[in-house]
Amino acid sequence: MLAAGALAAASVSTAVEAAPDSREARARAACAAGNVEKGVALLAQIAAQTGDVNALYNQARCYQQNGRTDEALERFKEYRRLAPDLSPDEAAQVNTYIRDLEAEQARNAAAAAPVPPAPAPTPPAPSAPPPPAPAMQPEGSHPSLVAPAILAGAGVAALAAGIYFSLKVRSIESDLESSTPITTAAYNDQVQSGQHAATFQWVSYGIAAAAAAGSVLTFALGRPAAAGAEAPHLGFAPAIGRDGVGGVVRFAF
Protein backbone atom coordinates (compact mmCIF):
# COMPACT_ATOMS: atom_id res chain seq x y z
CA MET A 1 0.00 0.00 0.00
CA LEU A 2 3.00 2.29 0.70
CA ALA A 3 4.07 1.62 -2.85
CA ALA A 4 0.67 2.68 -3.93
CA GLY A 5 1.19 5.81 -1.86
CA ALA A 6 4.47 6.41 -3.63
CA LEU A 7 2.67 5.96 -6.93
CA ALA A 8 0.03 8.32 -5.66
CA ALA A 9 2.72 10.83 -4.86
CA ALA A 10 4.11 10.44 -8.33
CA SER A 11 0.67 10.92 -9.67
CA VAL A 12 0.30 13.99 -7.44
CA SER A 13 3.56 15.37 -8.79
CA THR A 14 2.28 14.90 -12.29
CA ALA A 15 -0.97 16.44 -11.19
CA VAL A 16 0.85 19.40 -9.69
CA GLU A 17 2.43 20.09 -13.05
CA ALA A 18 -0.91 19.71 -14.78
CA ALA A 19 -3.14 21.23 -12.05
CA PRO A 20 -1.27 23.31 -9.42
CA ASP A 21 -4.49 23.88 -7.44
CA SER A 22 -5.06 20.21 -6.53
CA ARG A 23 -5.46 19.60 -2.76
CA GLU A 24 -2.66 17.07 -2.38
CA ALA A 25 -0.21 19.25 -4.26
CA ARG A 26 -1.19 22.19 -2.13
CA ALA A 27 -0.79 20.06 1.02
CA ARG A 28 2.74 19.05 0.01
CA ALA A 29 3.62 22.65 -0.79
CA ALA A 30 2.27 23.85 2.56
CA CYS A 31 4.26 21.20 4.49
CA ALA A 32 7.44 22.02 2.56
CA ALA A 33 6.96 25.73 3.37
CA GLY A 34 6.50 25.01 7.08
CA ASN A 35 2.77 25.74 7.08
CA VAL A 36 2.02 22.50 8.87
CA GLU A 37 -1.53 23.25 9.93
CA LYS A 38 -2.65 24.02 6.36
CA GLY A 39 -0.94 20.99 4.89
CA VAL A 40 -2.34 18.63 7.54
CA ALA A 41 -5.84 20.09 7.12
CA LEU A 42 -5.79 19.46 3.35
CA LEU A 43 -4.60 15.89 3.89
CA ALA A 44 -7.37 15.39 6.49
CA GLN A 45 -9.94 16.44 3.88
CA ILE A 46 -8.54 13.87 1.45
CA ALA A 47 -8.64 11.12 4.10
CA ALA A 48 -12.21 12.00 5.04
CA GLN A 49 -13.48 12.07 1.44
CA THR A 50 -11.53 9.15 -0.04
CA GLY A 51 -10.70 6.99 3.00
CA ASP A 52 -7.11 6.77 1.70
CA VAL A 53 -4.81 5.90 4.65
CA ASN A 54 -1.89 7.30 2.66
CA ALA A 55 -3.15 10.70 3.81
CA LEU A 56 -2.29 9.66 7.41
CA TYR A 57 1.21 8.67 6.25
CA ASN A 58 1.66 12.02 4.52
CA GLN A 59 0.42 13.84 7.65
CA ALA A 60 2.99 11.94 9.75
CA ARG A 61 5.75 12.88 7.31
CA CYS A 62 4.62 16.49 7.33
CA TYR A 63 4.82 16.62 11.12
CA GLN A 64 8.17 14.76 11.15
CA GLN A 65 9.79 17.05 8.60
CA ASN A 66 8.77 20.11 10.61
CA GLY A 67 9.99 18.85 14.01
CA ARG A 68 6.55 18.03 15.45
CA THR A 69 7.70 14.80 17.07
CA ASP A 70 4.65 13.93 19.17
CA GLU A 71 2.11 14.47 16.32
CA ALA A 72 4.31 12.61 13.83
CA LEU A 73 4.64 9.61 16.17
CA GLU A 74 0.88 9.53 16.75
CA ARG A 75 0.12 9.60 12.98
CA PHE A 76 2.66 6.87 12.14
CA LYS A 77 1.21 4.57 14.80
CA GLU A 78 -2.32 5.27 13.52
CA TYR A 79 -1.19 4.57 9.96
CA ARG A 80 0.41 1.26 10.97
CA ARG A 81 -2.79 0.24 12.77
CA LEU A 82 -5.02 1.08 9.79
CA ALA A 83 -2.71 -0.44 7.19
CA PRO A 84 -1.98 -3.98 8.39
CA ASP A 85 -1.25 -5.30 4.90
CA LEU A 86 2.01 -3.38 4.39
CA SER A 87 4.86 -5.20 2.69
CA PRO A 88 7.87 -6.12 4.86
CA ASP A 89 9.90 -3.24 3.43
CA GLU A 90 7.07 -0.77 3.94
CA ALA A 91 6.49 -1.98 7.53
CA ALA A 92 10.24 -1.82 8.30
CA GLN A 93 10.39 1.76 7.03
CA VAL A 94 7.42 2.84 9.18
CA ASN A 95 8.84 1.05 12.25
CA THR A 96 12.18 2.81 11.70
CA TYR A 97 10.41 6.18 11.68
CA ILE A 98 8.54 5.22 14.88
CA ARG A 99 11.76 4.16 16.70
CA ASP A 100 13.55 7.34 15.65
CA LEU A 101 10.65 9.49 16.81
CA GLU A 102 10.40 7.65 20.16
CA ALA A 103 14.14 8.16 20.73
CA GLU A 104 13.81 11.85 19.90
CA GLN A 105 10.78 12.12 22.18
CA ALA A 106 12.81 10.62 25.06
CA ARG A 107 15.67 13.07 24.43
CA ASN A 108 13.26 15.99 24.43
CA ALA A 109 11.71 14.80 27.72
CA ALA A 110 15.15 14.45 29.32
CA ALA A 111 16.16 17.92 28.17
CA ALA A 112 12.95 19.42 29.53
CA ALA A 113 13.25 17.69 32.90
CA PRO A 114 14.12 20.11 35.72
CA VAL A 115 17.70 19.96 36.88
CA PRO A 116 17.78 18.70 40.48
CA PRO A 117 19.20 21.30 42.84
CA ALA A 118 22.73 20.82 43.96
CA PRO A 119 22.94 19.21 47.40
CA ALA A 120 23.39 21.68 50.17
CA PRO A 121 26.95 21.78 51.46
CA THR A 122 27.46 19.79 54.59
CA PRO A 123 28.01 22.19 57.47
CA PRO A 124 31.38 21.77 59.14
CA ALA A 125 31.46 19.81 62.35
CA PRO A 126 31.28 22.07 65.38
CA SER A 127 34.71 22.72 66.75
CA ALA A 128 35.54 22.32 70.38
CA PRO A 129 34.94 25.52 72.35
CA PRO A 130 38.12 27.41 73.20
CA PRO A 131 39.38 26.97 76.73
CA PRO A 132 38.11 29.64 79.07
CA ALA A 133 40.46 32.53 79.56
CA PRO A 134 42.07 32.69 82.97
CA ALA A 135 40.14 34.91 85.29
CA MET A 136 41.74 38.29 85.67
CA GLN A 137 42.46 39.20 89.24
CA PRO A 138 40.75 42.51 90.02
CA GLU A 139 43.14 45.33 90.71
CA GLY A 140 43.73 45.87 94.40
CA SER A 141 42.62 42.40 95.48
CA HIS A 142 44.75 40.58 98.08
CA PRO A 143 46.83 37.59 96.93
CA SER A 144 47.00 34.43 98.92
CA LEU A 145 48.55 35.06 102.32
CA VAL A 146 49.15 31.41 103.21
CA ALA A 147 52.91 31.33 102.56
CA PRO A 148 53.62 34.75 104.12
CA ALA A 149 51.51 33.81 107.14
CA ILE A 150 53.37 30.53 107.63
CA LEU A 151 56.75 32.26 107.42
CA ALA A 152 55.58 35.00 109.74
CA GLY A 153 54.38 32.41 112.27
CA ALA A 154 57.72 30.61 112.06
CA GLY A 155 59.50 33.92 112.62
CA VAL A 156 57.40 34.68 115.67
CA ALA A 157 58.10 31.21 117.09
CA ALA A 158 61.83 31.58 116.44
CA LEU A 159 61.79 35.02 118.07
CA ALA A 160 60.04 33.59 121.11
CA ALA A 161 62.65 30.84 121.31
CA GLY A 162 65.41 33.43 121.06
CA ILE A 163 63.88 35.41 123.90
CA TYR A 164 63.57 32.23 125.98
CA PHE A 165 67.23 31.32 125.49
CA SER A 166 68.24 34.92 126.20
CA LEU A 167 66.40 34.78 129.51
CA LYS A 168 68.03 31.46 130.26
CA VAL A 169 71.48 32.92 129.56
CA ARG A 170 70.66 35.81 131.83
CA SER A 171 69.49 33.42 134.56
CA ILE A 172 72.67 31.32 134.36
CA GLU A 173 74.81 34.44 134.52
CA SER A 174 72.95 35.56 137.63
CA ASP A 175 73.46 32.16 139.26
CA LEU A 176 77.20 32.20 138.52
CA GLU A 177 77.55 35.75 139.85
CA SER A 178 75.84 34.90 143.14
CA SER A 179 77.91 34.11 146.26
CA THR A 180 76.31 30.75 146.73
CA PRO A 181 79.08 28.17 146.82
CA ILE A 182 78.84 25.38 144.22
CA THR A 183 81.06 22.52 143.26
CA THR A 184 83.43 22.69 140.32
CA ALA A 185 81.38 20.13 138.40
CA ALA A 186 78.19 22.12 138.93
CA TYR A 187 79.97 25.29 137.89
CA ASN A 188 81.18 23.67 134.68
CA ASP A 189 77.68 22.40 133.94
CA GLN A 190 76.25 25.87 134.39
CA VAL A 191 78.85 27.40 132.08
CA GLN A 192 78.23 24.76 129.46
CA SER A 193 74.44 25.27 129.70
CA GLY A 194 74.94 29.03 129.35
CA GLN A 195 77.05 28.58 126.24
CA HIS A 196 74.43 26.32 124.65
CA ALA A 197 71.66 28.74 125.55
CA ALA A 198 73.63 31.62 124.05
CA THR A 199 74.16 29.66 120.82
CA PHE A 200 70.47 28.74 120.57
CA GLN A 201 69.61 32.33 121.36
CA TRP A 202 71.40 33.74 118.30
CA VAL A 203 70.35 30.86 116.07
CA SER A 204 66.72 31.53 117.00
CA TYR A 205 67.12 35.25 116.29
CA GLY A 206 68.67 34.44 112.92
CA ILE A 207 65.80 32.11 112.06
CA ALA A 208 63.29 34.75 113.11
CA ALA A 209 64.97 37.35 110.92
CA ALA A 210 65.12 34.97 107.91
CA ALA A 211 61.48 33.95 108.34
CA ALA A 212 60.39 37.57 108.57
CA ALA A 213 62.34 38.43 105.42
CA GLY A 214 60.89 35.44 103.58
CA SER A 215 57.38 36.40 104.62
CA VAL A 216 57.85 39.90 103.28
CA LEU A 217 59.40 38.60 100.06
CA THR A 218 56.62 36.12 99.27
CA PHE A 219 53.99 38.71 100.07
CA ALA A 220 55.70 41.31 97.87
CA LEU A 221 56.02 38.87 94.93
CA GLY A 222 52.37 37.91 95.11
CA ARG A 223 51.01 41.41 95.57
CA PRO A 224 50.61 43.67 92.49
CA ALA A 225 52.39 46.93 92.96
CA ALA A 226 50.07 49.90 93.07
CA ALA A 227 51.08 53.16 91.46
CA GLY A 228 52.87 55.36 93.95
CA ALA A 229 52.64 52.73 96.70
CA GLU A 230 55.58 52.23 99.01
CA ALA A 231 57.40 48.92 98.59
CA PRO A 232 56.96 46.41 101.46
CA HIS A 233 59.84 46.30 103.90
CA LEU A 234 60.87 44.44 107.01
CA GLY A 235 62.79 45.82 109.94
CA PHE A 236 64.33 43.82 112.80
CA ALA A 237 66.23 45.29 115.67
CA PRO A 238 67.57 43.09 118.45
CA ALA A 239 67.41 44.61 121.94
CA ILE A 240 69.70 43.58 124.76
CA GLY A 241 69.13 45.16 128.10
CA ARG A 242 70.08 44.64 131.66
CA ASP A 243 66.94 42.66 132.33
CA GLY A 244 67.05 40.45 129.28
CA VAL A 245 67.49 40.12 125.53
CA GLY A 246 64.76 40.77 122.95
CA GLY A 247 64.11 42.20 119.57
CA VAL A 248 61.69 44.31 117.58
CA VAL A 249 60.33 43.19 114.20
CA ARG A 250 58.72 45.89 112.06
CA PHE A 251 56.76 44.85 108.99
CA ALA A 252 55.19 47.45 106.71
CA PHE A 253 53.35 47.14 103.39
Side-chain angles (χ1 to χ4, degrees):
M1 185 175 292
L2 183 58
L7 292 176
S11 299
V12 169
S13 299
T14 303
V16 168
E17 295 176 0
D21 59 345
S22 69
R23 285 183 301 181
E24 191 165 353
R26 284 185 286 123
R28 287 179 176 277
C31 290
N35 193 348
V36 180
E37 302 302 335
K38 180 179 178 180
V40 170
L42 291 170
L43 291 170
Q45 292 176 8
I46 295 172
Q49 292 176 2
T50 66
D52 187 0
V53 294
N54 284 315
L56 290 176
Y57 177 85
N58 290 332
Q59 282 182 329
R61 289 288 291 160
C62 182
Y63 281 128
Q64 184 182 27
Q65 291 166 357
N66 286 277
R68 304 275 288 271
T69 303
D70 296 340
E71 292 93 335
L73 183 59
E74 181 182 355
R75 290 297 190 279
F76 274 125
K77 289 182 178 181
E78 183 69 10
Y79 173 72
R80 188 176 60 180
R81 185 179 66 83
L82 296 176
D85 298 332
L86 295 175
S87 66
D89 291 341
E90 292 169 345
Q93 182 63 58
V94 173
N95 290 335
T96 298
Y97 286 147
I98 290 175
R99 285 195 300 271
D100 292 344
L101 290 168
E102 287 177 340
E104 185 176 356
Q105 192 179 52
R107 288 193 297 271
N108 293 340
V115 179
T122 303
S127 58
M136 299 297 294
Q137 181 175 323
E139 185 177 356
S141 62
H142 293 288
S144 174
L145 298 177
V146 175
I150 292 175
L151 291 173
V156 171
L159 178 62
I163 294 174
Y164 166 77
F165 287 115
S166 295
L167 294 176
K168 186 173 182 179
V169 168
R170 183 61 180 168
S171 175
I172 293 173
E173 288 177 349
S174 297
D175 290 342
L176 293 176
E177 291 174 357
S178 66
S179 58
T180 304
I182 58 175
T183 63
T184 302
Y187 179 85
N188 291 335
D189 290 341
Q190 289 280 39
V191 171
Q192 188 174 7
S193 296
Q195 292 175 345
H196 289 166
T199 301
F200 291 142
Q201 163 192 326
W202 297 116
V203 169
S204 298
Y205 287 146
I207 293 175
S215 176
V216 172
L217 180 61
T218 54
F219 180 82
L221 292 177
R223 177 175 181 266
E230 183 180 357
H233 61 275
L234 172 70
F236 174 75
I240 303 175
R242 181 176 180 181
D243 297 329
V245 179
V248 177
V249 177
R250 184 175 58 186
F251 176 61
F253 56 91

